[in-house]
Structure formats: structure tokens, C-alpha cells
Amino acid sequence: MREVDVVVLGCGSGGEVVANTVAAAGLSITVVEAGLVGGTCPYLACVPSKALLLSAAEYRRCGGDAHAAWLRAVRHRDEAARHRDDRPAVEGLEKSGAVLLRGRGRIVGPHEVEVHPPGGQPTRVSWRRALVIGTGSTSAQPAVEGLDGVGAWTSEAALSSAELPRTLVVLGGGAVGCELSQVYSSFGASVTVVEAAPRLLAGEDPWVGDAMSAALRAGGVDVRTGVGVDTAERSPGGQVRLHLSDATTLSADRVLVATGRRPVTSGLGLDVLGLHVQDGEPVLTDARCQVVPGVYAVGDVTGVAPYTHTATYQGRLVADDILGRGHDGSFAAIPRAVYTEPGLLSVGLSEQAARDQGRSVRAATFDVSQTGRAFLHQVTGTMPSAPARLQLLADAVSGVLVGATAFGPGADSWAAELVLAVRAGTHAGTLADVVHAFPAWSEAVQPAAAELAGNLG
Ligand SMILES: Cc1cc2nc3c(=O)[nH]c(=O)nc-3n(C[C@H](O)[C@H](O)[C@H](O)COP(=O)(O)OP(=O)(O)OC[C@H]3O[C@@H](n4cnc5c(N)ncnc54)[C@H](O)[C@@H]3O)c2cc1C
């Protein structure tokens, strides 16, 4: 049996950072990966979906033949996803000194993982210093009678297919549902989003969901909120028919299920470590991402903010801890982005979450369409016809920024300073004194911060 310092079980965005960093520092490391090295993000999630969103925006601007534009978009999507070829990632791992074992891994002893390669004999590897669990998440399937039998797409299936359905129903109005709705409707599909919560992007303040609905509707998407799906069936004509809780029926060529993700924990042998984790429940960690001494978890499997940037941050924390320079992570300022056009960047608390926690907060908003930059887009006809708004939230006592929500063109980029402001505990008055370039979208920050400072009394 092979014995190494560190075993990484699941090499997605989080596991890969640990593996590369720890191997480069000279520790011996074995990586166990059942699928593609690099995980979901580069091949089946963030990268292909963002490539499609950029192509869709380009097509909305330039027009032309929708079918040709779609085929071009699929080609660019697949190029961005490296045609799901993980060889460069494997070479990167090997160059840093890590050893890759392809196959599904399972913990079989207090320091031992058994690896089942596809069609091969199981092998075992044991760790001396640390095991890192980075097994990610998988699409959650809603409990809808008949849905299993209608060939519904997950986001992974959609992002691997070249099909452009004429009619598409997207179940779920979270980030993935909103982004993919905009993609398919841009290329001419007739898209309906069905969301059971009263609004899209249900974790954000209500105005955000309303703004996203307005943006998607402006692009032709039919947005149905506050309604669930009771049953699904395939009609004799081959269409999928969905019966909704408001007694209406939808028919479509395809259904895309985007109702959330579940941590991958089943069959991992966590009980061998004395951990009792229910199927689909996260592996809980401390602020250094440690589960029990010598065992860490990173990424979606931890249930902490399911983004690539969370996974890579946790990967850095774990690598530091293993290498003897550990420190607690700070998870209060993880950005939440939606890359539609217009898009969303939010960080820290929403106003609703603050009130639910019983925190006393003050809020201020600014209409982003009042900036000089928006004026230029309005004159040149390039301003999206959807609301654009910035909301800042400060603790009523200390005056420091505890949340920010930006909805508008390019929000993922220009609002990034608010991530720093929340992370650093910046006072609203200090933020109001920051000078922004003219005519940048970020000019919206100053008047909002000045109003917020004034509201603090
Ligand atoms: C459509 C879509 C779009 C997204 N867009 C964004 C975005 O724009 N920005 C963003 O930040 N996030 C985005 N996300 C979320 C992001 O993809 C995830 O947060 C990120 O990929 C999580 O990384 P991870 O390391 O936790 O897991 P993963 O990348 O999923 O990697 C886990 C790996 O573990 C392997 N594995 C599982 N079980 C075993 C086992 N028993 N043995 C061996 N290997 C195993 C799997 O094969 C997989 O490769 C998106 C998600 C989706 C679905």
C-alpha cells in the first residue's frame, strides 16, 4: 500500500488548489479523482455557462442568423471548456509533484482510502498528515411525480449538448436558472422559468428578484414565480407536459432542472471517521476547514457558499494549515454573482437576512441609471432596459458596512470594491470619502455611501 503525507479525495476547484500548493511545498500527495481533474467548474458549470452568456450578449447586440450564432456559441463554449479534456490540469498536478489515481475513492480505515478505478482492481493509499475531502455537489432533483421519465436536463447535460430547444421550461429561478434562461431565450428559444418561491433569486432582498424578473422578461422570458410543478409527463407528440400548482399546464421540447445542488457525501465512508452525515447534507468544518483532526473538507461538500471562489479560498486555508501556517478563514464577505446582463453582485447580509438575525441596520440605495456612465449608455442606446440599483447596508451602531447589493450592467466587476469594504469592516463615512473614476459605474458607490453615513445619525 502506498503511504503519503496528504490524500486529496475529489479534485475539483478546491481539491486542486490544495494538491498543487502542498505538492509544490514538497509534501508527498496522492489525488483521487473519479471524473475530470479540475472538477465541475471548468468543464460543466462556470466556464461553459459564462462563455454562452458572453456569446448570447454578443448576439443580442449584433443580431444575424440565430442558428449560426448558436452553433458558434456552442463551439466557443466547448473551446472554453477545453472539450472536457483535463490533460493540462493533470500535467499541472504532476508537474507540482502530485500523483493522480483515477477512480472513485472511499475511506476504509482511520488513515486509509480505497480507490476503485473504472474496470480495474482496487488499490489503497494511506495518509500520514491529512485527508482533504473535496467531492463537490450534484444537481438536486425536485420531488416531482413523473419528472424522472421525461429526460429532463441537468445544467451539466444542457452545458454538454448542442441542442437548442424551440421551447424550454427552466425549473428553478436561482443563479443557474436565471443565467441559462437568458442564454436560451437570447438565441430564440421560447423560455419559461418556474420558481416556487415568491421571487427569483430568493436568497436576496425582494427588489433583486423583481429586478431580475424585469430583466429576463425584457428579453422575452416568461417568468412564473410562486408556483410549483405537481407532475410531469411526456405527451403523445413527444413534448414534456408539466402540470403546475396553479392548475395551469406548460408544454415544452425540454425541461431543465436548476433547483439547487446537494453535497456529494454518499458512499464516501465518512462513518469510518466517526462522522454521521446524512445523504445530501454537508460535511461541517471549523474556520480552518478542519472536520476532525487531520481531516479537512473544501468546496461545495462543506455547504458553505457554493462557488468556485469559496472552494479555492478554502483550498488555500487548508494548504496553509497543512503547511504549518494555518489561520481562521473569514466567510462573511463571500461574493454572490449572477452573470446575466444586467447582472448581480451581492456580498454580506441582505436587509432581510439582517432583520431575520435581529440586527439593527441602516440602508441606503442609489439608482445606478443616474450615473454619468448610464447617461452615455442611454445616449448610445446600449443601456439595458431593466432597473439598475445599488443598496448598501451598515450596522446601525458601529456604522460599518455589513452588506451590499449591486444590480446593473457589469455589476460583478465594478461592485467588487464592496467585497473589500465588507471584509475590512469599512465605515460608511470612509466609503463615502473614496474617489471613483468618472464616468465609471462604480460612481454609484459614493452617493449611496454618503446617504448611508447620513442615515446613521
Ligand atoms: C451551471 C453552473 C454554473 C456555475 N457558475 C459559477 C460561477 O460562475 N462562479 C462560481 O464561483 N461558481 C459557479 N458555480 C458553482 C461551482 O461550479 C462550484 O461551486 C465549484 O465547482 C465547486 O468546486 P468543488 O471543488 O467543491 O467541487 P467540484 O468541482 O464539483 O469537484 C468535485 C470532484 O470530486 C470528484 N469526486 C466526487 N466523489 C468522488 C469520489 N468518491 N472519489 C473520487 N472523486 C470524487 C468529482 O468527480 C469532481 O471532479 C456554478 C455551478 C453550476 C452548476
Side-chain angles (χ1 to χ4, degrees):
M1 182 172 52
R2 185 196 304 258
E3 191 183 73
V4 291
D5 292 321
V6 179
V7 171
V8 171
L9 181 55
C11 190
S13 303
E16 195 176 19
V17 168
V18 182
N20 281 320
T21 313
V22 167
L27 297 194
S28 59
I29 175 160
T30 290
V31 169
V32 182
E33 173 51 57
L36 295 167
V37 171
T40 315
C41 171
Y43 311 109
L44 296 159
C46 330
V47 170
S49 61
K50 263 79 269 179
L52 284 178
L53 281 160
L54 290 179
S55 298
E58 179 68 5
Y59 176 62
R60 286 197 303 276
R61 265 188 294 276
C62 303
D65 178 62
H67 182 67
W70 169 251
L71 292 182
R72 207 164 43 242
V74 167
R75 201 175 67 239
H76 289 153
R77 177 198 73 185
D78 291 343
E79 281 166 4
R82 297 179 185 279
H83 301 278
R84 293 162 211 97
D85 175 2
D86 68 353
R87 265 174 304 182
V90 173
E91 281 163 20
L93 264 190
E94 287 171 350
K95 213 161 139 200
S96 64
V99 171
L100 172 65
L101 290 182
R102 288 213 188 254
R104 191 154 291 282
R106 179 186 170 79
I107 302 155
V108 290
H111 281 92
E112 217 169 290
V113 167
E114 188 169 79
V115 186
H116 295 257
Q121 287 300 311
T123 51
R124 288 192 174 195
V125 55
S126 72
W127 71 90
R128 280 186 291 265
R129 280 165 81 154
L131 169 71
V132 183
I133 300 165
T135 47
S137 64
T138 187
S139 296
Q141 193 75 359
V144 172
E145 190 191 322
L147 194 60
D148 279 350
V150 298
W153 267 345
T154 58
S155 58
E156 297 184 1
L159 292 169
S160 319
S161 168
E163 180 185 330
L164 176 62
R166 267 186 317 108
T167 44
L168 174 71
V169 175
V170 177
L171 301 186
V176 173
C178 291
E179 289 181 353
L180 293 182
S181 296
Q182 188 170 70
V183 164
Y184 287 99
S185 69
S186 298
F187 290 105
S190 169
V191 178
T192 306
V193 190
V194 179
E195 166 57 56
R199 290 186 174 77
L200 301 179
L201 303 174
E204 303 292 342
D205 282 328
W207 69 266
V208 180
D210 290 342
M212 181 59 84
S213 288
L216 293 181
R217 283 185 177 129
V221 177
D222 179 6
V223 179
R224 311 255 186 118
T225 53
V227 60
V229 181
D230 289 340
T231 57
E233 61 184 349
R234 202 166 267 290
S235 72
Q239 289 233 308
V240 181
R241 198 177 288 153
L242 300 173
H243 300 279
L244 307 187
S245 59
D246 62 359
T248 58
T249 301
L250 288 172
S251 287
D253 293 341
R254 276 276 174 205
V255 176
L256 165 57
V257 176
T259 48
R261 316 253 317 157
R262 291 155 48 92
V264 172
T265 54
S266 115
L268 286 186
L270 293 170
D271 47 323
V272 175
L273 301 176
L275 299 167
H276 303 292
V277 180
Q278 298 288 322
D279 249 18
E281 291 296 312
V283 177
L284 301 179
T285 69
D286 66 13
R288 294 181 181 208
C289 303
Q290 189 167 248
V291 185
V292 291
V295 178
Y296 299 85
V298 293
D300 286 5
V301 75
T302 64
V304 176
Y307 304 105
T308 295
H309 44 267
T310 315
T312 53
Y313 177 55
Q314 291 173 314
R316 297 199 295 275
L317 289 173
V318 169
D320 280 350
D321 211 48
I322 292 172
L323 296 173
R325 47 183 194 228
H327 53 99
D328 287 358
S330 168
F331 294 90
I334 303 235
R336 311 180 288 276
V338 183
Y339 293 88
T340 45
E341 191 182 76
L344 171 75
L345 186 121
S346 57
V347 60
L349 295 175
S350 66
E351 195 170 0
Q352 188 58 49
R355 302 215 189 282
D356 290 348
Q357 289 177 16
R359 286 187 71 155
S360 178
V361 289
R362 297 283 180 272
T365 59
F366 187 75
D367 178 354
V368 177
S369 64
Q370 298 303 309
T371 55
R373 178 59 165 269
F375 168 73
L376 290 168
H377 281 277
Q378 282 148 7
V379 170
T380 55
T382 51
M383 184 76 185
S385 59
R389 183 173 174 187
L390 172 65
Q391 175 174 289
L392 301 180
L393 205 66
D395 184 277
V397 178
S398 66
V400 304
L401 202 71
V402 292
T405 305
F407 187 87
D412 63 276
S413 298
W414 64 261
E417 70 174 273
L418 300 167
V419 177
L420 173 62
V422 172
R423 174 68 178 84
T426 306
H427 192 278
T430 309
L431 197 57
D433 199 42
V434 172
V435 178
H436 295 88
F438 173 86
W441 291 114
S442 59
E443 277 194 294
V445 173
Q446 197 281 330
E451 187 189 321
L452 186 61
N455 289 348
L456 290 167

